[in-house]
Amino acid sequence: MGFKKNNQSLNNIQGKKGSQFSSQLRGINLERVLVVAIDAAKFFQKALLCNYFGDVIEKPFFFGVDKNGINHLCSLIENAKGQIQAERIFIGVEATGHYYEDIVRELGKRGYGVTIINAATTYEERSSALNWSKTDDLDLYAIAHALIQNKGMENKLPEGIYRRLMTLTRARRNEVRKRALVRVHIRTLMDHIWRDFQGYVEIKNNKPEKKLIFSKFWGKPSLFFLENYPHPSSVLELGIEKLLQLVKEKKLRIKETTIHTLMKVAEQSIVKSKEEVSAELLLLKLAVQDLKRLDENVSILEKEIEEALLETDGRLLLTVPGIGVATAAEFFSELGDISQYEHAGQLIKKAGTNPIIIQSGGTQGFYGRISKQGNKNLRFMVYTVGKCLATHNKDLRPYYEKLKERGKHARKAFIALGNKFIRIAFSMLKHKKPYESKQSEYSIFQEIKKKLIYTKMNTYLNIALAA
């Protein structure tokens, strides 16, 4: 039984994406379809022009990402278009770092639509290309092949508030990662300088118990001593009275018992002399300065992110227990404008977290690994959100625990929960409605209030009402 013509768009094996692609090719001589493959890089961009069957029209050539280079590329496209009397043009570029963005943007200004192709897709195509090609232009052939087979990811760069949030949140994530490395470095240095500063051991009834001098190692009081008195001899030279006076002057808010503990640990610690660890002390001083700078950078970025997020519908995500400002902003920006999507499944495919169904010989199929044919940054956020919800969301944690009981690895369960949240978030953003919790103690106002740091008190209620 055939399908009705007006239902053809609903029955392509690749869904909506395949329907749109096939509608552009239906009834056209495929020799008149121009394919432009672009391999983006920092300095040397390369392109290849061929028809739908892979017949080369313009051999691989280099061009620059400037006005002359883009004009040269466009002139060759137009020449090839006239040469084969092209009725359709498909342009594809691999998402390599951020180098492809200027190409997509400039070609868009000249009226060309560009499909962005995931690096994982071109990797698979490049591997298969080894069977039929032995040239140095495998990347271009892989991009062209992926384009011909409609394996593109998307064809629109983030704009406006989405781009701003994406830039800010990715920068914050980068600063947080650098800060984590600096913190590890500081702990390593303190292992050599004064190991017990990070924690000491008390043995009672032949049972060891770890004790802390400061409840928060990265808090203001601890950082003050790391920066100014990182060696026990320096603390002992000051004495109890001077330490208490110093704490009061610097407004460190340390209990007197903490100072006594610090002195006790300093007296009992076995350490090298200052001269022996002079190199480590210098490195520690530099590392603490780096840490303070990174802390300031993160604070500046988080303030900007909070202000930007509250200007968007992404603030609705703050009503979800377990989703903080930075996570909500990054997740929202990586999702992008959801108005161009009809259902949440398309966003899951955009992330590349959709599981691949493996089936053969009429046997019952099963879900294998995720496809990874999508945006790697969104994929990372799906995992991150799933992990946060599994820990802090009482409504969704049972779903995670159920997956674990069925034998799912924690990472796979996090991704599955992240996919579930994509569906929830899609509905929330589409209908502009807050999260609905089944917990009796849940309050939208309190949920938002505890997450916002830089927003004034009198705006909490307005945001809650807007949500």
Side-chain angles (χ1 to χ4, degrees), residues 119-161:
T121 301
T122 52
Y123 174 80
E124 292 181 356
E125 293 296 329
R126 187 161 53 246
S127 299
S128 64
L130 292 173
N131 296 326
W132 47 265
S133 179
K134 295 182 180 180
T135 73
D136 295 329
D137 298 310
L138 285 178
D139 286 343
L140 283 172
Y141 294 148
I143 293 169
H145 205 247
L147 196 58
I148 290 170
Q149 295 192 358
N150 191 29
K151 292 184 178 180
M153 184 170 59
E154 51 190 335
N155 52 22
K156 188 177 181 182
L157 293 174
E159 298 176 346
I161 191 63

Coordinates of all heavy atoms in Angstrom, one line a residue, residues 119-161:
A119 N 32.3 15.9 14.3 CA 33.6 15.3 14.1 C 33.6 13.8 14.2 O 34.3 13.1 13.5 CB 34.6 15.9 15.1
A120 N 32.7 13.3 15.0 CA 32.6 11.8 15.2 C 32.1 11.2 13.9 O 32.5 10.1 13.5 CB 31.6 11.5 16.3
T121 N 31.2 11.9 13.2 CA 30.7 11.4 11.9 C 31.8 11.4 10.9 O 31.9 10.4 10.1 CB 29.5 12.3 11.4 OG1 28.5 12.4 12.4 CG2 29.0 11.8 10.1
T122 N 32.5 12.4 10.8 CA 33.6 12.4 9.8 C 34.7 11.4 10.1 O 35.4 10.9 9.2 CB 34.2 13.8 9.6 OG1 34.6 14.3 10.9 CG2 33.3 14.8 9.0
Y123 N 34.9 11.1 11.4 CA 35.8 10.1 11.8 C 35.4 8.8 11.2 O 36.2 8.0 10.7 CB 36.0 10.1 13.3 CG 36.8 8.9 13.8 CD1 38.2 9.1 13.8 CD2 36.3 7.7 14.3 CE1 39.0 8.0 14.3 CE2 37.0 6.7 14.7 CZ 38.4 6.8 14.7 OH 39.2 5.8 15.2
E124 N 34.1 8.4 11.4 CA 33.6 7.2 10.9 C 33.7 7.1 9.4 O 34.1 6.1 8.8 CB 32.2 6.9 11.3 CG 32.1 6.7 12.8 CD 30.6 6.5 13.2 OE1 29.7 6.6 12.4 OE2 30.4 6.2 14.4
E125 N 33.4 8.2 8.7 CA 33.4 8.3 7.3 C 34.9 8.2 6.8 O 35.2 7.6 5.8 CB 32.8 9.6 6.7 CG 31.3 9.7 7.0 CD 30.5 8.6 6.2 OE1 31.0 8.2 5.1 OE2 29.5 8.2 6.7
R126 N 35.8 8.8 7.5 CA 37.2 8.8 7.1 C 37.8 7.4 7.3 O 38.5 6.9 6.4 CB 38.0 9.7 8.1 CG 39.4 9.9 7.7 CD 40.0 11.1 8.3 NE 39.9 11.2 9.7 CZ 39.1 12.1 10.4 NH1 38.5 13.0 9.7 NH2 39.0 12.0 11.7
S127 N 37.3 6.6 8.3 CA 37.8 5.2 8.4 C 37.3 4.4 7.3 O 38.0 3.6 6.8 CB 37.2 4.7 9.8 OG 37.7 5.4 10.9
S128 N 36.0 4.6 6.9 CA 35.5 3.8 5.7 C 36.2 4.2 4.4 O 36.3 3.4 3.5 CB 34.0 3.9 5.6 OG 33.6 5.3 5.4
A129 N 36.6 5.5 4.4 CA 37.2 6.0 3.1 C 38.5 5.4 2.9 O 39.0 5.3 1.7 CB 37.3 7.5 3.2
L130 N 39.2 4.8 3.9 CA 40.5 4.2 3.7 C 40.4 3.0 2.8 O 41.3 2.5 2.2 CB 41.0 3.7 5.1 CG 41.4 4.9 6.0 CD1 41.8 4.3 7.4 CD2 42.6 5.6 5.4
N131 N 39.1 2.5 2.6 CA 38.9 1.3 1.8 C 38.9 1.6 0.3 O 39.1 0.8 -0.5 CB 37.6 0.6 2.2 CG 37.7 0.0 3.6 OD1 38.7 -0.4 4.1 ND2 36.5 0.1 4.3
W132 N 38.6 2.9 0.0 CA 38.4 3.2 -1.4 C 39.2 4.5 -1.8 O 39.1 4.9 -3.0 CB 37.0 3.4 -1.7 CG 36.2 4.3 -0.8 CD1 35.4 3.9 0.2 CD2 36.1 5.8 -0.9 NE1 34.9 5.0 0.9 CE2 35.2 6.2 0.2 CE3 36.6 6.7 -1.7 CZ2 34.9 7.5 0.5 CZ3 36.3 8.1 -1.4 CH2 35.5 8.4 -0.4
S133 N 40.0 5.0 -0.9 CA 40.8 6.2 -1.3 C 42.1 6.2 -0.6 O 42.2 5.8 0.6 CB 40.0 7.5 -0.9 OG 40.8 8.6 -1.2
K134 N 43.2 6.6 -1.3 CA 44.5 6.6 -0.7 C 45.2 8.0 -0.9 O 46.4 8.1 -1.1 CB 45.4 5.5 -1.4 CG 44.9 4.1 -1.1 CD 45.8 3.1 -1.7 CE 45.3 1.7 -1.4 NZ 46.1 0.6 -2.0
T135 N 44.4 9.0 -0.9 CA 45.0 10.4 -1.1 C 45.2 11.1 0.2 O 44.8 10.6 1.3 CB 44.1 11.2 -2.0 OG1 42.9 11.6 -1.3 CG2 43.7 10.4 -3.2
D136 N 45.7 12.3 0.2 CA 45.9 13.1 1.4 C 44.7 13.9 1.7 O 44.7 14.7 2.6 CB 47.1 14.0 1.2 CG 48.4 13.3 1.0 OD1 48.5 12.2 1.6 OD2 49.3 13.8 0.3
D137 N 43.6 13.8 0.9 CA 42.4 14.6 1.1 C 41.2 13.8 1.7 O 40.1 14.0 1.4 CB 42.0 15.2 -0.2 CG 43.0 16.2 -0.7 OD1 43.5 17.0 0.0 OD2 43.4 16.0 -1.9
L138 N 41.6 12.9 2.6 CA 40.5 12.0 3.2 C 39.5 12.8 3.9 O 38.3 12.4 3.9 CB 41.2 10.9 4.1 CG 41.9 9.8 3.4 CD1 42.5 8.9 4.4 CD2 40.9 9.0 2.5
D139 N 39.9 13.8 4.7 CA 39.0 14.6 5.4 C 37.9 15.2 4.6 O 36.7 15.2 4.9 CB 39.7 15.7 6.2 CG 40.5 15.2 7.4 OD1 40.2 14.0 7.8 OD2 41.4 15.9 7.9
L140 N 38.3 15.8 3.4 CA 37.4 16.4 2.5 C 36.4 15.4 1.9 O 35.2 15.6 1.8 CB 38.1 17.1 1.4 CG 38.7 18.5 1.8 CD1 39.6 19.0 0.6 CD2 37.7 19.5 2.1
Y141 N 36.9 14.2 1.6 CA 36.1 13.2 1.0 C 35.1 12.7 2.1 O 33.9 12.3 1.8 CB 36.9 12.0 0.5 CG 37.8 12.4 -0.7 CD1 39.0 11.8 -0.9 CD2 37.4 13.3 -1.6 CE1 39.8 12.1 -2.0 CE2 38.2 13.7 -2.7 CZ 39.4 13.1 -2.9 OH 40.2 13.4 -4.0
A142 N 35.6 12.6 3.3 CA 34.7 12.1 4.4 C 33.6 13.1 4.6 O 32.4 12.7 4.9 CB 35.5 11.9 5.7
I143 N 33.9 14.4 4.6 CA 32.9 15.4 4.8 C 31.9 15.4 3.6 O 30.7 15.5 3.9 CB 33.5 16.8 4.9 CG1 34.4 16.9 6.2 CG2 32.5 17.9 4.9 CD1 35.3 18.1 6.2
A144 N 32.4 15.3 2.4 CA 31.5 15.2 1.3 C 30.6 14.0 1.4 O 29.3 14.0 1.1 CB 32.3 15.1 0.0
H145 N 31.1 12.8 1.8 CA 30.4 11.6 1.9 C 29.3 11.7 2.9 O 28.2 11.2 2.8 CB 31.3 10.4 2.2 CG 30.8 9.1 1.7 ND1 30.4 8.1 2.6 CD2 30.6 8.6 0.5 CE1 30.0 7.1 2.0 NE2 30.1 7.3 0.7
A146 N 29.6 12.3 4.1 CA 28.7 12.5 5.2 C 27.6 13.4 4.7 O 26.4 13.2 5.1 CB 29.4 13.1 6.4
L147 N 27.9 14.4 3.9 CA 26.9 15.4 3.4 C 25.9 14.7 2.5 O 24.7 14.9 2.5 CB 27.6 16.6 2.8 CG 26.9 17.8 2.5 CD1 26.3 18.4 3.8 CD2 27.8 18.9 1.8
I148 N 26.5 13.9 1.6 CA 25.7 13.2 0.6 C 24.7 12.3 1.3 O 23.6 12.1 0.8 CB 26.5 12.4 -0.4 CG1 27.3 13.5 -1.3 CG2 25.7 11.5 -1.3 CD1 28.4 12.8 -2.2
Q149 N 25.1 11.6 2.4 CA 24.3 10.7 3.1 C 23.4 11.4 4.2 O 22.9 10.7 5.0 CB 25.2 9.6 3.7 CG 25.9 8.7 2.7 CD 26.5 7.5 3.3 OE1 26.4 7.3 4.5 NE2 27.1 6.7 2.5
N150 N 23.4 12.7 4.2 CA 22.6 13.4 5.1 C 22.9 13.2 6.6 O 22.0 12.9 7.4 CB 21.1 13.1 4.8 CG 20.1 14.1 5.6 OD1 20.5 15.2 5.8 ND2 19.0 13.6 5.9
K151 N 24.2 13.2 6.9 CA 24.6 13.0 8.2 C 25.0 14.2 8.9 O 25.8 14.2 9.9 CB 25.8 12.0 8.3 CG 25.4 10.5 7.8 CD 26.5 9.6 8.0 CE 26.1 8.2 7.6 NZ 27.3 7.2 7.8
G152 N 24.5 15.4 8.4 CA 24.8 16.6 9.1 C 24.2 16.8 10.4 O 23.1 16.1 10.7
M153 N 24.7 17.6 11.3 CA 24.2 17.8 12.6 C 23.2 18.9 12.7 O 22.0 18.7 13.1 CB 25.4 18.1 13.5 CG 25.0 18.2 15.0 SD 26.5 18.3 16.0 CE 27.3 19.8 15.4
E154 N 23.5 20.1 12.2 CA 22.6 21.2 12.2 C 23.2 22.3 11.3 O 24.3 22.2 10.8 CB 22.5 21.9 13.7 CG 23.8 22.2 14.3 CD 23.7 22.5 15.8 OE1 22.6 23.0 16.2 OE2 24.6 22.3 16.5
N155 N 22.4 23.3 11.0 CA 22.8 24.3 10.1 C 22.6 25.7 10.5 O 22.4 26.6 9.7 CB 22.1 24.1 8.7 CG 20.6 24.0 8.9 OD1 20.1 24.5 9.9 ND2 20.0 23.4 7.9
K156 N 22.7 25.9 11.8 CA 22.5 27.3 12.4 C 23.4 27.5 13.6 O 23.4 26.7 14.5 CB 21.0 27.5 12.8 CG 20.7 28.9 13.1 CD 19.2 29.0 13.4 CE 18.9 30.5 13.8 NZ 17.4 30.7 14.1
L157 N 24.1 28.6 13.6 CA 25.0 28.9 14.7 C 24.1 29.6 15.8 O 23.1 30.3 15.5 CB 26.1 29.9 14.3 CG 27.1 29.3 13.3 CD1 28.1 30.4 12.9 CD2 27.9 28.2 14.0
P158 N 24.5 29.4 17.1 CA 23.8 30.1 18.1 C 23.9 31.6 18.0 O 24.9 32.2 17.6 CB 24.4 29.6 19.4 CG 25.8 29.2 19.0 CD 25.6 28.6 17.6
E159 N 22.8 32.3 18.3 CA 22.8 33.8 18.1 C 22.2 34.4 19.4 O 21.6 33.8 20.2 CB 22.0 34.2 16.9 CG 22.5 33.7 15.6 CD 21.6 34.0 14.4 OE1 20.5 34.4 14.7 OE2 22.0 33.9 13.3
G160 N 22.4 35.7 19.5 CA 21.8 36.5 20.6 C 22.2 36.0 22.0 O 23.3 35.7 22.3
I161 N 21.2 35.9 22.8 CA 21.4 35.6 24.2 C 21.9 34.1 24.3 O 22.6 33.8 25.3 CB 20.0 35.7 25.0 CG1 20.3 35.6 26.5 CG2 19.0 34.7 24.5 CD1 21.2 36.7 27.1

